[in-house]
Each structure stands twice: as structure tokens, then as C-alpha cells.
Amino acid sequence: MWLIDSSIGRKVVMSVSGIALILFLTFHASMNVVALFSAEGYNMICEFLGANWYAVAATIGLGALVVVHFVMAFILNYQNRKARGNNAYAVTNKPEKVEWASQNMLVLGIIIILGMLLHLYNFWYNMMFAELAGIAGPFDTPKPSDGYAFIEQTFKQPVYSVIYVLWLIALWFHLTHGFWSAMQTLGVSGKIWFNRWKMIGYVFSTIIILMFLAVVVKFSIFAA
Ligand code: HEM
């Protein structure tokens, strides 16, 4: 199948899965902003996204998207290196005007996956998984649908606040480049539209990351 067999097909798969993940992040950041205003409102959403068939189906779909995106990134990176062959290390002068993020997408992706594993442990494991598996934590562990309490518990530990801020910075670099790179793969052409999509990508990624950061800052600094 050309989507998997050809280099352009694999790039299309990366772009489409990347855009789907950006849509998930948009939903997730919007949902988290509710925690800035209302504990009850936030927990209502968490309860809705709890251990039921549609939430589990969405989690499986999301996991599949992450795996596809990640595996394709490795294959494309491997092919690029192979194509450059012995010349891969011959050029020491980095080309000008190539953004730092574009040269480090794989490294940024690995940092994001590592942060995600920690994040899934902090929240998903203690919430959805605990509910599905019927696991009860120690006596002071909040109940699985009390997402608000898990946010409080996580960010009152400064080490998590620092790790999450670094993780979000890596995610910002990854998103800003990934956004317009996807648009380019999917056929945006012409300098004017290319620059417009680049700007839209910057603004959109910045808004999403600021929404996540607002939660980290509020619960790290201003929480009781
Ligand atoms: C301030 C930052 C964040 C907070 C407070 C937060 C909070 C949460 C909470 C409460 C859940 C559990 C929801 C549930 O199972 O009902 C969750 C799940 C999840 N979060 Fe986050 N999140 C944050 C940032 C992020 C970021 C930046 C990413 C991605 C890069 C991310 C990816 C995920 C994923 C993949 C899940 C599992 C979703 C599922 O079960 O379907 N989160 N998060």
C-alpha cells in the first residue's frame, strides 16, 4: 500500500496522525482550563471520560495514533539517514535558516513520549486504569474520578511542576514545526499561504501550550 510503502505515503500518515493528535490536545487543553474555574465542573468531565466503553475506545484509538506517528517517525528518520549514506556526517556546516525544531523533531518526540509516560502514570493510571482494574490506592489516594484532586496532588510537588514545564516547552517546539510541516506535506503551496500557515501554527500551538501552562502554574503556585 502506497501509504506505507512510499516515502511520501509515510509522510502523509505522519501528517494526518499529527493533526489528529493536535485535535486531541486542543480538546484536552480546553478541558483542563475548566479546572482553573471549577472543581465540580472539572470532575464532571472526568466522570464522563471515566471507565466506560466510549472512553476506553477513544483511549485505544489515541494510543494507536501515537504508535503510528512514532513508528513512522523512526522509519522516515532511518530512511533519510540511509539515503544520505556516507555523506551523512560529511557536511559540518548546518544550512542557514533551518529551524532548530525541524532538525530535532525526533529528539523532541522522544522527550514528549517520555513525559507522556510519566503523565499517564500521574493521571491515567490512577484514574481510568484504577477504575477499570478496581485498584484502590493508599487511604489518602483520591477516588479515580476526582481529577481535580489528582491535579492538586501532582503540582504541589515542585519536581513535577518543573518536569511538566520542560515537557510543555518541548511540545511547543514540536508542534510549531509539526503544524506547518504537515500542511506542506498535505499540499499547501505558494509563499503567501506557506507563511500564513506557519503563523497560524505558531499562534495555535502557543495558545494550546499556554492553556496547559496556566493549569501547571495555578496549581503549583496559587493552590492552597
Ligand atoms: C497541565 C497539564 C495537564 C493536565 C493537568 C492533564 C490532566 C489529565 C487528566 C486528569 C487525565 C485523565 C483523564 C481521565 O482519564 O479521565 C489525562 C489523561 C491524558 N493526558 Fe493529560 N493533562 C495535561 C497535559 C497533557 C499533555 C501536554 C498531553 C500530551 C502531550 C496529555 C496527554 C494525555 C493523554 C494521552 C491522556 C490519556 C487520555 C485517555 O485516557 O484517553 N496531557 N490528563
Side-chain angles (χ1 to χ4, degrees), residues 21-83:
L21 288 169
I22 291 175
L23 290 178
F24 161 73
L25 280 182
T26 310
F27 165 75
H28 197 38
S30 314
M31 154 191 163
N32 283 344
V33 163
V34 175
L36 296 175
F37 306 103
S38 161
E40 293 76 37
Y42 190 70
N43 283 347
M44 262 173 64
I45 302 174
C46 289
E47 213 144 319
F48 178 69
L49 298 174
N52 46 61
W53 71 266
Y54 49 85
V56 174
T59 301
I60 293 169
L62 196 56
L65 274 177
V66 173
V67 170
V68 165
H69 195 72
F70 199 62
V71 169
M72 286 293 169
F74 266 98
I75 297 176
L76 278 167
N77 189 270
Y78 171 75
Q79 280 183 327
N80 286 346
R81 281 173 177 270
K82 212 167 81 172

Coordinates of all heavy atoms in Angstrom, one line a residue, residues 21-83:
L21 N -3.7 14.2 16.5 CA -3.2 14.4 17.9 C -3.3 15.8 18.3 O -3.6 16.1 19.5 CB -1.7 13.9 17.9 CG -1.5 12.4 17.9 CD1 -0.1 12.0 17.7 CD2 -2.1 11.7 19.1
I22 N -3.1 16.8 17.4 CA -3.3 18.2 17.7 C -4.8 18.4 18.1 O -5.0 19.2 19.1 CB -2.9 19.1 16.6 CG1 -1.3 19.1 16.4 CG2 -3.3 20.6 16.8 CD1 -0.8 19.8 15.2
L23 N -5.7 17.8 17.4 CA -7.1 17.9 17.8 C -7.4 17.4 19.2 O -8.1 18.0 20.0 CB -8.0 17.2 16.8 CG -8.1 17.8 15.4 CD1 -8.9 17.0 14.4 CD2 -8.6 19.3 15.4
F24 N -6.7 16.2 19.5 CA -6.9 15.7 20.9 C -6.3 16.7 21.9 O -7.0 17.0 22.9 CB -6.1 14.4 21.0 CG -5.9 14.0 22.5 CD1 -6.9 13.6 23.3 CD2 -4.6 14.2 23.0 CE1 -6.7 13.4 24.7 CE2 -4.4 13.9 24.4 CZ -5.4 13.5 25.2
L25 N -5.1 17.3 21.6 CA -4.5 18.3 22.5 C -5.4 19.5 22.7 O -5.5 20.0 23.8 CB -3.2 18.7 22.0 CG -2.0 17.7 22.2 CD1 -0.7 18.3 21.7 CD2 -1.9 17.4 23.7
T26 N -6.1 19.9 21.6 CA -7.0 21.1 21.7 C -8.1 20.8 22.7 O -8.5 21.6 23.5 CB -7.6 21.4 20.3 OG1 -6.5 21.5 19.4 CG2 -8.3 22.7 20.3
F27 N -8.7 19.5 22.5 CA -9.8 19.1 23.4 C -9.2 19.0 24.9 O -9.9 19.6 25.8 CB -10.4 17.8 23.0 CG -11.2 17.1 24.1 CD1 -12.5 17.6 24.3 CD2 -10.7 16.1 24.8 CE1 -13.2 17.0 25.3 CE2 -11.5 15.5 25.9 CZ -12.7 16.0 26.1
H28 N -8.1 18.4 25.0 CA -7.5 18.2 26.4 C -7.2 19.5 27.1 O -7.5 19.7 28.3 CB -6.3 17.3 26.2 CG -5.8 16.6 27.5 ND1 -6.7 16.1 28.4 CD2 -4.6 16.4 28.0 CE1 -6.0 15.6 29.4 NE2 -4.7 15.8 29.2
A29 N -6.6 20.4 26.3 CA -6.2 21.7 26.9 C -7.5 22.5 27.3 O -7.6 23.1 28.4 CB -5.4 22.5 25.9
S30 N -8.5 22.4 26.4 CA -9.8 23.1 26.8 C -10.5 22.5 28.0 O -11.0 23.2 28.9 CB -10.8 23.0 25.6 OG -10.2 23.3 24.4
M31 N -10.4 21.2 28.1 CA -11.0 20.5 29.2 C -10.2 20.9 30.5 O -10.8 21.2 31.5 CB -10.9 19.0 29.0 CG -10.9 18.1 30.2 SD -10.4 16.4 29.8 CE -10.0 15.8 31.4
N32 N -8.9 21.0 30.4 CA -8.1 21.3 31.6 C -8.4 22.7 32.1 O -8.3 23.0 33.3 CB -6.6 21.1 31.3 CG -6.3 19.6 31.4 OD1 -7.0 18.8 31.9 ND2 -5.1 19.3 30.8
V33 N -8.7 23.6 31.2 CA -8.9 25.0 31.6 C -10.1 25.1 32.6 O -10.1 26.0 33.4 CB -9.1 25.9 30.3 CG1 -9.8 27.2 30.7 CG2 -7.8 26.1 29.6
V34 N -11.0 24.2 32.4 CA -12.2 24.2 33.4 C -11.7 24.1 34.8 O -12.3 24.7 35.7 CB -13.1 23.0 33.0 CG1 -14.3 22.9 34.0 CG2 -13.7 23.2 31.6
A35 N -10.5 23.3 35.0 CA -10.0 23.2 36.4 C -9.6 24.5 37.0 O -9.4 24.6 38.2 CB -8.9 22.2 36.4
L36 N -9.3 25.5 36.1 CA -8.9 26.8 36.6 C -10.1 27.5 37.3 O -9.9 28.4 38.2 CB -8.5 27.7 35.5 CG -7.2 27.3 34.8 CD1 -6.9 28.3 33.6 CD2 -6.0 27.3 35.7
F37 N -11.3 27.1 37.0 CA -12.5 27.8 37.5 C -13.4 27.0 38.4 O -14.0 27.6 39.3 CB -13.4 28.3 36.3 CG -12.6 29.1 35.3 CD1 -12.2 28.6 34.1 CD2 -12.2 30.4 35.6 CE1 -11.4 29.3 33.2 CE2 -11.5 31.2 34.7 CZ -11.0 30.7 33.5
S38 N -13.5 25.7 38.1 CA -14.4 24.9 38.9 C -14.0 23.5 39.1 O -13.8 22.7 38.2 CB -15.8 24.9 38.2 OG -16.6 23.9 38.6
A39 N -13.9 23.1 40.4 CA -13.5 21.7 40.7 C -14.6 20.7 40.3 O -14.4 19.7 39.7 CB -13.2 21.5 42.2
E40 N -15.9 21.2 40.6 CA -17.1 20.3 40.3 C -17.2 20.1 38.8 O -17.4 19.0 38.3 CB -18.4 20.9 40.8 CG -18.5 21.0 42.3 CD -17.7 22.1 42.9 OE1 -17.6 23.2 42.2 OE2 -17.1 22.0 44.0
G41 N -17.0 21.2 38.0 CA -17.1 21.2 36.6 C -16.1 20.2 36.0 O -16.3 19.4 35.1
Y42 N -14.8 20.3 36.5 CA -13.7 19.5 36.0 C -14.0 18.0 36.3 O -13.9 17.2 35.4 CB -12.4 19.9 36.6 CG -11.2 19.2 36.0 CD1 -10.9 19.6 34.6 CD2 -10.5 18.2 36.6 CE1 -9.8 18.9 34.0 CE2 -9.5 17.6 36.0 CZ -9.1 18.0 34.7 OH -8.1 17.3 34.1
N43 N -14.5 17.8 37.5 CA -14.7 16.4 37.9 C -15.9 15.8 37.1 O -16.0 14.6 36.9 CB -14.9 16.2 39.4 CG -13.5 16.3 40.1 OD1 -12.5 16.2 39.4 ND2 -13.5 16.4 41.4
M44 N -16.9 16.6 36.7 CA -18.0 16.1 35.9 C -17.4 15.6 34.6 O -17.9 14.6 34.1 CB -19.0 17.3 35.6 CG -20.2 17.3 36.6 SD -21.2 18.8 36.3 CE -21.7 18.5 34.6
I45 N -16.5 16.4 34.0 CA -15.9 16.0 32.7 C -15.1 14.7 32.9 O -15.2 13.7 32.1 CB -15.0 17.1 32.1 CG1 -15.7 18.4 31.9 CG2 -14.4 16.6 30.8 CD1 -14.9 19.6 31.5
C46 N -14.4 14.6 34.0 CA -13.6 13.4 34.3 C -14.5 12.2 34.4 O -14.2 11.1 34.0 CB -12.7 13.6 35.5 SG -11.4 14.7 35.3
E47 N -15.6 12.4 35.1 CA -16.5 11.3 35.3 C -17.1 10.8 33.9 O -17.2 9.6 33.7 CB -17.7 11.7 36.2 CG -18.2 10.6 37.1 CD -18.6 11.1 38.4 OE1 -17.9 11.9 39.1 OE2 -19.7 10.6 38.9
F48 N -17.4 11.8 33.1 CA -17.9 11.5 31.7 C -16.9 10.7 30.9 O -17.2 9.8 30.1 CB -18.2 12.8 31.0 CG -18.7 12.6 29.6 CD1 -19.9 12.0 29.3 CD2 -17.9 13.0 28.5 CE1 -20.4 11.9 28.0 CE2 -18.4 12.9 27.2 CZ -19.6 12.3 27.0
L49 N -15.6 11.0 31.2 CA -14.5 10.3 30.4 C -13.9 9.2 31.2 O -12.8 8.7 31.0 CB -13.3 11.3 30.2 CG -13.6 12.5 29.3 CD1 -12.4 13.5 29.3 CD2 -14.0 12.1 27.9
G50 N -14.7 8.7 32.2 CA -14.2 7.6 33.0 C -14.2 6.2 32.4 O -14.0 6.1 31.2
A51 N -14.4 5.2 33.2 CA -14.3 3.8 32.7 C -15.5 3.3 32.0 O -16.3 2.5 32.5 CB -13.9 2.9 33.9
N52 N -15.8 3.9 30.8 CA -17.0 3.4 30.1 C -16.5 3.1 28.6 O -15.4 3.5 28.2 CB -18.1 4.4 30.1 CG -17.6 5.8 29.8 OD1 -17.0 6.0 28.7 ND2 -17.7 6.7 30.7
W53 N -17.4 2.4 27.9 CA -16.9 1.9 26.6 C -16.4 2.9 25.6 O -15.4 2.8 24.9 CB -17.9 1.0 25.9 CG -19.1 1.8 25.4 CD1 -20.3 2.0 26.0 CD2 -19.2 2.4 24.1 NE1 -21.1 2.8 25.2 CE2 -20.5 3.0 24.0 CE3 -18.4 2.5 23.0 CZ2 -20.9 3.7 22.9 CZ3 -18.8 3.2 21.9 CH2 -20.0 3.8 21.8
Y54 N -17.1 4.1 25.6 CA -16.6 5.1 24.6 C -15.3 5.8 25.0 O -14.5 6.1 24.1 CB -17.7 6.2 24.3 CG -18.3 6.8 25.5 CD1 -17.7 7.9 26.1 CD2 -19.5 6.3 26.0 CE1 -18.3 8.5 27.2 CE2 -20.1 6.9 27.1 CZ -19.5 8.0 27.7 OH -20.1 8.6 28.8
A55 N -15.1 5.9 26.3 CA -13.8 6.5 26.7 C -12.7 5.5 26.5 O -11.6 5.9 26.1 CB -13.9 6.9 28.2
V56 N -12.9 4.2 26.8 CA -11.9 3.2 26.5 C -11.6 3.1 25.0 O -10.4 3.0 24.6 CB -12.3 1.8 27.1 CG1 -11.3 0.7 26.8 CG2 -12.5 1.9 28.6
A57 N -12.7 3.2 24.2 CA -12.4 3.1 22.7 C -11.6 4.3 22.3 O -10.7 4.2 21.5 CB -13.8 3.1 22.0
A58 N -11.9 5.5 22.9 CA -11.1 6.7 22.5 C -9.7 6.5 22.9 O -8.7 6.9 22.2 CB -11.7 7.9 23.1
T59 N -9.5 6.0 24.1 CA -8.1 5.8 24.6 C -7.3 4.8 23.7 O -6.1 5.1 23.3 CB -8.1 5.2 26.0 OG1 -8.8 6.1 26.9 CG2 -6.7 5.0 26.6
I60 N -8.0 3.7 23.2 CA -7.3 2.8 22.3 C -7.0 3.5 21.0 O -5.8 3.4 20.5 CB -8.2 1.5 22.1 CG1 -8.3 0.8 23.4 CG2 -7.6 0.6 21.0 CD1 -9.3 -0.3 23.4
G61 N -7.9 4.3 20.5 CA -7.7 5.0 19.2 C -6.5 6.0 19.4 O -5.7 6.1 18.5
L62 N -6.5 6.6 20.5 CA -5.5 7.6 20.8 C -4.1 6.9 20.8 O -3.1 7.4 20.3 CB -5.8 8.3 22.1 CG -5.1 9.6 22.4 CD1 -5.3 10.6 21.3 CD2 -5.6 10.1 23.8
G63 N -4.1 5.8 21.6 CA -2.8 5.1 21.7 C -2.3 4.6 20.3 O -1.1 4.7 20.0
A64 N -3.3 4.1 19.5 CA -2.9 3.7 18.1 C -2.3 4.9 17.3 O -1.3 4.7 16.6 CB -4.1 3.1 17.4
L65 N -2.9 6.0 17.4 CA -2.4 7.2 16.7 C -1.0 7.5 17.1 O -0.1 7.8 16.3 CB -3.3 8.4 17.0 CG -4.5 8.7 16.2 CD1 -5.3 9.9 16.8 CD2 -4.1 8.9 14.8
V66 N -0.7 7.5 18.5 CA 0.6 7.8 19.0 C 1.6 6.8 18.4 O 2.7 7.2 17.9 CB 0.6 7.8 20.5 CG1 2.1 8.0 21.0 CG2 -0.2 9.0 21.1
V67 N 1.3 5.5 18.5 CA 2.2 4.5 18.0 C 2.5 4.7 16.5 O 3.6 4.7 16.1 CB 1.6 3.0 18.2 CG1 2.4 2.0 17.5 CG2 1.5 2.8 19.7
V68 N 1.4 4.9 15.7 CA 1.6 5.1 14.2 C 2.5 6.3 14.0 O 3.5 6.2 13.2 CB 0.3 5.3 13.5 CG1 0.4 5.9 12.1 CG2 -0.5 4.0 13.5
H69 N 2.3 7.4 14.7 CA 3.0 8.6 14.5 C 4.5 8.4 14.8 O 5.4 8.8 14.1 CB 2.4 9.7 15.4 CG 2.9 11.1 15.1 ND1 2.5 11.8 13.9 CD2 3.7 12.0 15.8 CE1 3.0 13.0 13.9 NE2 3.8 13.1 15.0
F70 N 4.7 7.7 15.9 CA 6.1 7.4 16.5 C 6.8 6.5 15.5 O 8.0 6.7 15.2 CB 5.9 6.9 17.9 CG 7.2 7.0 18.7 CD1 7.7 8.3 19.0 CD2 7.8 5.9 19.2 CE1 8.8 8.4 19.8 CE2 8.9 6.0 20.0 CZ 9.5 7.3 20.3
V71 N 6.2 5.4 15.2 CA 6.9 4.4 14.3 C 7.2 5.0 13.0 O 8.4 4.8 12.5 CB 6.0 3.1 14.2 CG1 6.5 2.2 13.1 CG2 5.9 2.4 15.5
M72 N 6.3 5.7 12.4 CA 6.6 6.3 11.1 C 7.8 7.3 11.2 O 8.6 7.4 10.3 CB 5.3 7.1 10.6 CG 4.3 6.2 10.1 SD 4.8 5.4 8.6 CE 3.5 4.2 8.4
A73 N 7.8 8.0 12.3 CA 8.9 9.0 12.5 C 10.3 8.3 12.5 O 11.2 8.7 11.8 CB 8.8 9.7 13.8
F74 N 10.3 7.1 13.1 CA 11.6 6.3 13.2 C 11.9 5.8 11.8 O 13.1 5.9 11.3 CB 11.5 5.2 14.2 CG 12.0 5.6 15.5 CD1 11.1 5.9 16.5 CD2 13.4 5.6 15.7 CE1 11.6 6.3 17.7 CE2 13.9 5.9 17.0 CZ 13.0 6.3 18.0
I75 N 10.9 5.3 11.1 CA 11.2 4.8 9.7 C 11.7 5.9 8.8 O 12.7 5.7 8.1 CB 9.9 4.1 9.1 CG1 9.5 2.9 10.0 CG2 10.2 3.7 7.7 CD1 8.2 2.2 9.5
L76 N 11.0 7.0 8.8 CA 11.4 8.2 7.9 C 12.8 8.6 8.3 O 13.6 8.9 7.4 CB 10.4 9.3 8.1 CG 9.2 9.2 7.2 CD1 8.1 10.2 7.6 CD2 9.5 9.3 5.7
N77 N 13.1 8.7 9.6 CA 14.4 9.2 10.0 C 15.5 8.2 9.6 O 16.5 8.6 9.0 CB 14.4 9.3 11.6 CG 15.7 10.0 12.1 OD1 16.7 9.3 12.4 ND2 15.6 11.3 12.2
Y78 N 15.2 6.9 9.7 CA 16.2 5.9 9.3 C 16.4 6.0 7.8 O 17.6 5.9 7.3 CB 15.6 4.5 9.7 CG 16.4 3.3 9.1 CD1 17.6 3.0 9.7 CD2 15.9 2.6 8.1 CE1 18.4 1.9 9.1 CE2 16.6 1.5 7.5 CZ 17.8 1.2 8.1 OH 18.6 0.2 7.5
Q79 N 15.3 6.1 7.0 CA 15.5 6.2 5.6 C 16.3 7.4 5.1 O 17.1 7.4 4.3 CB 14.1 6.3 4.9 CG 13.4 5.0 4.8 CD 12.1 5.1 4.1 OE1 11.5 6.2 4.3 NE2 11.7 4.1 3.4
N80 N 16.0 8.6 5.8 CA 16.7 9.8 5.5 C 18.2 9.6 5.7 O 19.1 10.0 4.9 CB 16.2 11.0 6.3 CG 14.9 11.4 5.9 OD1 14.5 11.1 4.8 ND2 14.2 12.2 6.7
R81 N 18.6 9.0 6.8 CA 20.0 8.7 7.1 C 20.6 7.8 6.1 O 21.7 8.0 5.7 CB 20.1 8.2 8.5 CG 20.0 9.2 9.6 CD 20.0 8.7 11.0 NE 19.9 9.8 11.9 CZ 21.0 10.4 12.4 NH1 22.2 10.0 12.1 NH2 20.9 11.4 13.2
K82 N 19.8 6.8 5.7 CA 20.4 5.8 4.8 C 20.6 6.4 3.4 O 21.6 6.2 2.8 CB 19.4 4.6 4.7 CG 20.1 3.3 4.4 CD 19.2 2.1 4.6 CE 18.3 1.9 3.3 NZ 17.6 0.7 3.4
A83 N 19.6 7.3 3.1 CA 19.7 8.0 1.7 C 20.9 8.9 1.7 O 21.6 9.0 0.6 CB 18.4 8.8 1.5

